């Protein structure tokens, strides 16, 4: 519409934190050395196409696992990925959506990175669905001095469906209306 062409959304800040939990066979001793943790973090970074510095909060805990035919020990490794680029965030979301395929990619990456003594088997590694929290800060620029148009746009911007669609277009990410919180302040 004519009004839409007068509205520009400027993303001023984009922060996405994705937390992933993985179950792996073995004992705590295998995963607690700095070399093993470095190998794992590097493998995560390679599998997701991010820098190692984006991988943080690596935590290893004992997680006794029982199967019908197998009694064994396992560990749970959780980590977070912190991303400030919408395109990279969307790529991470896409890569981690299929947890089985991501587990295979993760194992391949960890094994190929090497250097920490880890040699994983994708058939016994599981990845839980990721938990993602995204904060987007933005400014809306309206190129008109017409008070009626300004009021109309302000009213539409309070509609979470409209904002979800606009933010999805502006970031290239999928934004759900249920995740949108809007507030309007008028600048001078």
């Amino acid at each position: 519409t004519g009004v839409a062409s007068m509205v520009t959304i400027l993303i001023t800040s984009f922060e996405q934190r994705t937390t992933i939990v993985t179950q792996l066979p073995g004992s705590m001793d295998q995963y607690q050395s700095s070399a093993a943790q470095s190998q794992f973090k590097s493998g995560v970074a390679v599998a997701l196409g991010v820098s190692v510095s984006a991988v943080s909060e690596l935590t290893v805990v004992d997680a006794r696992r029982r199967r019908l035919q197998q009694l064994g020990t396992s560990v749970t490794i959780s980590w977070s990925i912190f991303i400030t680029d919408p395109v990279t965030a969307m790529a991470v979301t896409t890569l981690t959506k299929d947890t089985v395929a991501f587990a295979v990619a993760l194992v391949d990456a960890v094994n190929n990175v090497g250097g920490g003594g880890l040699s994983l088997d994708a058939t016994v590694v599981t990845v839980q669905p990721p938990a993602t929290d995204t904060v987007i800060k933005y400014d809306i620029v309206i190129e008109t001095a017409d008070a009626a148009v300004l009021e109309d746009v302000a009213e539409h911007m309070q509609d979470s469906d409209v904002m979800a669609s606009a933010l999805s277009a502006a970031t290239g990410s999928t934004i759900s209306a249920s995740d949108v919180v809007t507030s309007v302040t008028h600048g001078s």
Side-chain angles (χ1 to χ4, degrees), residues 15-19 56-57 80-83 131-135:
E15 298 175 349
Q16 179 173 295
R17 179 176 171 218
T18 301
T19 302
S56 63
E57 301 174 16
S80 293
I81 307 295
F82 184 75
I83 302 164
T132 302
D133 183 37
T134 306
V135 176

Side-chain angles (χ1 to χ4, degrees), residues 11-90:
I11 304 300
T12 58
S13 173
F14 182 96
E15 298 175 349
Q16 179 173 295
R17 179 176 171 218
T18 301
T19 302
I20 300 174
V21 177
T22 307
Q23 286 80 34
L24 303 107
S27 68
M28 292 283 292
D29 291 342
Q30 291 173 269
Y31 298 93
Q32 286 198 308
S33 74
S34 60
Q37 289 188 15
S38 177
Q39 178 185 352
F40 191 84
K41 283 177 74 169
S42 295
V44 168
V46 168
L48 294 175
V50 300
S51 70
V52 174
S53 64
V55 182
S56 63
E57 301 174 16
L58 186 76
T59 305
V60 181
V61 296
D62 187 23
R64 303 198 187 278
R65 180 175 63 181
R66 291 183 177 87
R67 292 186 177 184
L68 292 176
Q69 297 178 334
Q70 172 186 354
L71 217 60
T73 60
S74 66
V75 296
T76 298
I77 299 180
S78 63
W79 71 90
S80 293
I81 307 295
F82 184 75
I83 302 164
T84 58
D85 171 51
V87 173
T88 303
M90 189 64 172

Side-chain angles (χ1 to χ4, degrees), residues 39 43 46 105-115 118:
Q39 178 185 352
V46 168
L106 176 63
V107 167
D108 286 346
V110 169
N111 289 343
N112 288 334
V113 165
L118 299 179

Side-chain angles (χ1 to χ4, degrees), residues 131-164:
T132 302
D133 183 37
T134 306
V135 176
I136 304 169
K137 294 181 181 176
Y138 54 90
D139 290 332
I140 299 173
V141 179
I142 306 166
E143 297 179 24
T144 184
D146 184 331
V149 171
L150 291 171
E151 187 61 35
D152 184 48
V153 170
E155 185 176 314
H156 279 86
M157 294 298 109
Q158 292 183 48
D159 181 331
S160 57
D161 288 323
V162 170
M163 283 308 302

